[in-house]
Amino acid sequence: MEEPRKKEEEKIIRSLNFIEEIIENDIRNGVNDSRVHTRFPPEPNGYLHIGHAKSICLNFGLSKKYNGKTNLRFDDTNPVKEEVEYVDSIMEDVKWLGFDWEDRLFYASDYFEQLYGYAVILIRKGKAFVCDMTAEEISETRGTPTRPGKESPFRHRSVEENIDLFARMRAGEFPDGSRVLRAKIDLTSPNMHMRDPVLYRILHTHHHRTGNQWCIYPMYDFAHGQSDSIERITHSICTLEFEVHRPLYDWFIHEIGIYAPRQIEFARLNMTYTVMSKRKLLELVRDGNVTGWDDPRMPTICGLRRRGYTPESIRNFAETIGVAKRDNIIDVSLLEFCIREDLNKRANRLMAVLDPVKIVIDNYPEELVEEMEAVNNPEDETKGKRKLPFTKTIFIERDDFMEDPPNKFFRLAPGREVRLKAAYIIKCEHVVKDPKTGEIEEIHCTYDPLTKSGMPESNRKVKGTLHWVSEKYAIKTEVRLYDRLFVMENPDEAEEGKTYLDYLNPDSLKIVTAMIEPAVKNAQILEKYQFERIGYFSVDHDSTAQNLVFNRVVSLKDSWSKVEKVK
Ligand code: ATP
Ligand code: MG
């Protein structure tokens, strides 16, 4: 009972992160009547990943902490890349993580009419113009950070002409790419985003919500800040790459003359041994390097869920890594630590043998079946105990036996004793090998009837304790052993001539047939277990009534920390 209290205290005394400091300051100074209103604004062009989870936990976490609100808003300004499938998956993932946007589900596309109106305001003020240059011409004349851009020949069109052309762009009179609406700001600004950026482009494309109602679409930059303003967001939290966009967002808000949210940037989450960009994740799915967005090796939220991660472990991870102002890369072992810690408390134990070798207990009666008693979860008494059949023939892990062991090997070997967990102490007498291959087929042992687990005489100590299952009662089960998807810590930093795909881990999935104790029979999809001495496993949705399939969530110990890092 010591532990949880300590943890609570830690939470209370954790110093404020820089965003909380800003917010508490704003609350003290009565900014926005001391309201706190955040939003999570995904673009529905892919599935959410663990980086998004961090942003979700941050935004929803802040409003929870400061008694505020968080909106879910789809920034759906690019009909070419966006799909309803993504919208649905994003909502499912946010809910699964444990957050609730209540009745505040919005879409940037809900504001298309309003955004159009804002553009017209800018035109009327002489702050925006219709430009007939091609995309290439625009990019060629933008200059470089050290060389100013060149004015568009259309920059001085009259307000009337601009109003007329913009209305006709909307009416569908012009083909894609023939004209854009641009802001008239400053072609000498060292900030490239201020050099007459494009606000609207013509795209005769169906939109997943507005259908064919529009053939001009606002650029993300013209929609994002104004959407925050329309929703009266107080603190617009976004990742660092938007810092250089902030002057542009401020300029729009100021020129249009609307409510100004405060933008705060934080460092995006990067994690070792994976990639996080949606483009790359989409590529992995498309090229068949993984089985789908929810492949348990993916850093996507649905992949982590299928793998067996819990929302609590992910929220705890997000809380533990905190928020930073500088880009960094978080070791994936921290995420693995969080799930181990969580599943240790909640997962029932099972005996499962992943690489079975047969043991015959020569002095054990042929037909006898003893019901042994095993503790379901030593961390949680309320989980009770279960029965476990013990018989003459059992399986143990092949690597728990060595014919010619080194001194420090405390498992089974000829002439040596081990305890079978929740059962007896056995002693290895001899082995039977396949005469052709030399492979061990049977290990013959004797058991000591006085060492039955739980009996008063059973206190005799031996160095090793092994898990086992009865041959007769074992349930054959498919187990998918997942490992890291990449062998390189940061696959985004591929060496010259290579791409991140050259660093895929060829051993990221191994499938074995395990023998598991009969208590596994009632396992439900996504139910999690600790396989004694091995790791945490979760029931995959490929399971059927006849055939269970388990995913390895994580091994019991951090095996990678011992392995030299692959560079
Ligand atoms: P990607 O670069 O993976 O395509 P994105 O930034 O384009 O991601 P959005 O859908 O625009 O994806 O992101 C929605 C929100 O999630 C944004 O507020 C964004 O800042 C945040 N976000 C995205 N990736 C991360 C990350 N790795 N760490 C923290 N927050 C992130
Ligand atoms: Mg984005």
Side-chain angles (χ1 to χ4, degrees):
M1 283 288 98
E2 249 334 85
E3 280 287 287
R5 192 167 347 115
K6 233 193 256 160
K7 206 136 186 241
E8 272 311 297
E9 275 167 15
E10 257 168 42
K11 252 188 208 158
I12 293 161
I13 59 174
R14 175 176 72 74
S15 56
L16 298 180
N17 66 45
F18 77 96
I19 299 179
E20 291 166 335
E21 268 173 20
I22 291 171
I23 291 181
E24 294 203 0
N25 218 15
D26 285 349
I27 292 174
R28 260 195 308 278
N29 294 328
V31 178
N32 293 319
D33 304 324
S34 301
R35 273 186 317 120
V36 174
H37 199 150
T38 60
R39 84 287 176 262
F40 174 64
E43 192 185 340
N45 60 352
Y47 281 67
L48 297 183
H49 53 59
I50 182 80
H52 294 112
K54 174 181 171 160
S55 174
I56 293 166
C57 292
L58 181 60
N59 281 294
F60 281 92
L62 286 168
S63 65
K64 200 165 193 180
K65 178 165 180 178
Y66 296 110
N67 215 0
K69 292 176 178 152
T70 302
N71 297 357
L72 174 61
R73 182 179 71 241
F74 288 101
D75 267 339
D76 55 351
T77 52
N78 185 359
V80 182
K81 288 192 178 162
E82 294 159 6
E83 286 173 31
V84 179
E85 175 194 349
Y86 299 138
V87 170
D88 294 342
S89 77
I90 289 170
M91 291 199 275
E92 186 185 354
D93 289 348
V94 175
K95 274 190 218 151
W96 177 77
L97 277 173
F99 298 107
D100 186 3
W101 55 86
E102 294 167 341
D103 57 349
R104 292 177 308 279
L105 170 63
F106 301 113
Y107 294 83
S109 55
D110 294 342
Y111 311 136
F112 279 173
E113 192 61 53
Q114 230 164 325
L115 291 168
Y116 182 86
Y118 293 156
V120 171
I121 291 175
L122 292 182
I123 296 174
R124 287 203 194 285
K125 287 179 77 175
K127 301 280 182 176
F129 65 101
V130 173
C131 181
D132 303 357
M133 291 202 291
T134 63
E136 295 76 53
E137 285 167 338
I138 291 176
S139 103
E140 275 162 20
T141 52
R142 274 177 87 215
T144 67
T146 49
R147 187 166 46 83
K150 270 201 241 128
E151 275 196 5
S152 158
F154 307 98
R155 202 173 195 255
H156 298 288
R157 274 182 164 146
S158 68
V159 168
E160 289 67 35
E161 189 183 0
N162 280 320
I163 292 280
D164 173 60
L165 284 173
F166 190 46
R168 289 166 60 196
M169 276 167 67
R170 175 181 184 166
E173 289 189 25
F174 311 118
D176 287 5
S178 59
R179 290 195 158 93
V180 291
L181 183 73
R182 292 176 73 179
K184 202 188 283 186
I185 310 180
D186 180 4
L187 289 156
T188 65
S189 171
N191 183 339
M192 301 293 286
H193 297 288
M194 303 299 274
R195 295 190 185 176
D196 293 4
V198 172
L199 309 184
Y200 268 89
R201 69 252 203 248
I202 301 173
L203 276 177
H204 290 267
T205 304
H206 182 91
H207 185 280
H208 73 110
R209 284 184 61 85
T210 57
N212 295 324
Q213 198 186 333
W214 293 87
C215 61
I216 56 171
Y217 290 95
M219 299 301 289
Y220 178 85
D221 274 352
F222 191 67
H224 184 75
Q226 282 85 290
S227 300
D228 282 345
S229 171
I230 291 168
E231 293 175 15
R232 301 193 84 72
I233 299 304
T234 56
H235 300 87
S236 303
I237 297 162
C238 56
T239 42
L240 282 182
E241 69 271 24
F242 289 101
E243 194 170 1
V244 285
H245 296 240
R246 176 147 41 92
L248 177 61
Y249 296 173
D250 289 347
W251 186 89
F252 289 142
I253 296 282
H254 176 77
E255 293 297 337
I256 299 165
I258 49 177
Y259 164 84
R262 173 170 186 171
Q263 177 170 310
I264 307 168
E265 302 88 10
F266 73 102
R268 60 172 49 229
L269 167 68
N270 300 300
M271 209 164 62
T272 54
Y273 299 103
T274 193
V275 291
M276 210 81 98
S277 110
K278 276 189 264 188
R279 180 182 63 78
K280 290 180 181 164
L281 296 176
L282 180 61
E283 246 167 33
L284 287 170
V285 173
R286 272 204 201 136
D287 299 352
N289 288 306
V290 293
T291 56
W293 285 98
D294 70 343
D295 185 299
R297 290 165 293 186
M298 292 280 273
T300 49
I301 296 179
C302 56
L304 292 165
R305 173 166 63 232
R306 184 166 175 193
R307 175 89 170 242
Y309 275 81
T310 58
E312 291 82 357
S313 67
I314 294 176
R315 292 201 301 263
N316 192 28
F317 171 72
E319 170 79 11
T320 307
I321 56 180
V323 286
K325 280 192 220 182
R326 289 257 178 94
D327 276 320
N328 54 11
I329 178 158
I330 301 287
D331 198 325
V332 65
S333 6
L334 184 59
L335 180 63
E336 293 168 347
F337 170 82
C338 291
I339 187 64
R340 268 191 211 105
E341 205 187 38
D342 188 34
L343 293 185
N344 183 40
K345 283 180 289 187
R346 65 166 84 213
N348 279 354
R349 275 51 170 172
L350 279 181
M351 301 240 218
V353 177
L354 301 194
D355 182 16
V357 65
K358 199 184 276 191
I359 288 207
V360 182
I361 303 168
D362 292 326
N363 60 340
Y364 196 82
E366 197 69 43
E367 296 301 328
L368 183 61
V369 183
E370 276 184 280
E371 298 257 280
M372 302 302 187
E373 208 166 51
V375 175
N376 281 330
N377 186 345
E379 304 288 319
D380 182 355
E381 263 182 37
T382 66
K383 294 284 167 66
K385 294 180 174 174
R386 68 184 186 284
K387 299 276 192 241
L388 189 61
F390 187 77
T391 51
K392 184 179 179 76
T393 311
I394 60 170
F395 294 116
I396 64 163
E397 298 289 348
R398 194 164 278 278
D399 69 359
D400 276 338
F401 176 81
M402 270 183 102
E403 241 191 318
D404 190 14
N407 269 345
K408 285 267 160 80
F409 187 80
F410 297 127
R411 294 170 269 167
L412 198 61
R416 296 201 192 171
E417 284 189 323
V418 289
R419 172 169 287 286
L420 294 175
K421 180 143 194 167
Y424 294 102
I425 291 179
I426 57 167
K427 182 177 178 191
C428 172
E429 304 293 347
H430 65 100
V431 298
V432 175
K433 292 185 191 172
D434 181 319
K436 284 207 198 91
T437 64
E439 188 173 282
I440 292 170
E441 285 186 327
E442 284 178 3
I443 302 168
H444 283 256
C445 295
T446 49
Y447 85 114
D448 177 351
L450 293 179
T451 56
K452 185 168 178 176
S453 181
M455 305 297 274
E457 317 82 53
S458 75
N459 281 335
R460 187 146 75 80
K461 285 265 181 304
V462 286
K463 284 231 167 87
T465 301
L466 307 185
H467 62 278
W468 55 275
V469 292
S470 153
E471 181 191 33
K472 187 168 170 200
Y473 293 94
I475 295 183
K476 251 194 191 178
T477 305
E478 176 179 333
V479 175
R480 298 175 182 169
L481 300 171
Y482 291 105
D483 205 336
R484 291 170 187 176
L485 191 51
F486 293 93
V487 291
M488 190 197 189
E489 230 180 60
N490 188 356
D492 289 325
E493 283 173 5
E495 63 183 72
E496 236 186 276
K498 291 191 172 181
T499 74
Y500 70 104
L501 292 169
D502 292 307
Y503 300 95
L504 279 166
N505 179 4
D507 300 319
S508 60
L509 169 59
K510 253 190 264 163
I511 298 177
V512 298
T513 303
M515 296 295 183
I516 308 188
E517 62 167 288
V520 75
K521 259 198 324 269
N522 303 319
Q524 303 295 305
I525 306 288
L526 283 183
E527 201 171 352
K528 283 119 187 114
Y529 292 94
Q530 184 196 94
F531 291 175
E532 296 265 11
R533 298 179 60 230
I534 301 179
Y536 294 99
F537 291 78
S538 175
V539 183
D540 192 78
H541 57 55
D542 283 347
S543 299
T544 61
Q546 285 75 35
N547 287 307
L548 276 173
V549 178
F550 274 95
N551 295 319
R552 176 166 70 195
V553 190
V554 67
S555 58
L556 269 194
K557 293 211 185 74
D558 182 2
S559 55
W560 276 65
S561 61
K562 287 181 234 128
V563 178
E564 236 184 87
K565 279 175 184 156
V566 187
K567 283 277 161 187

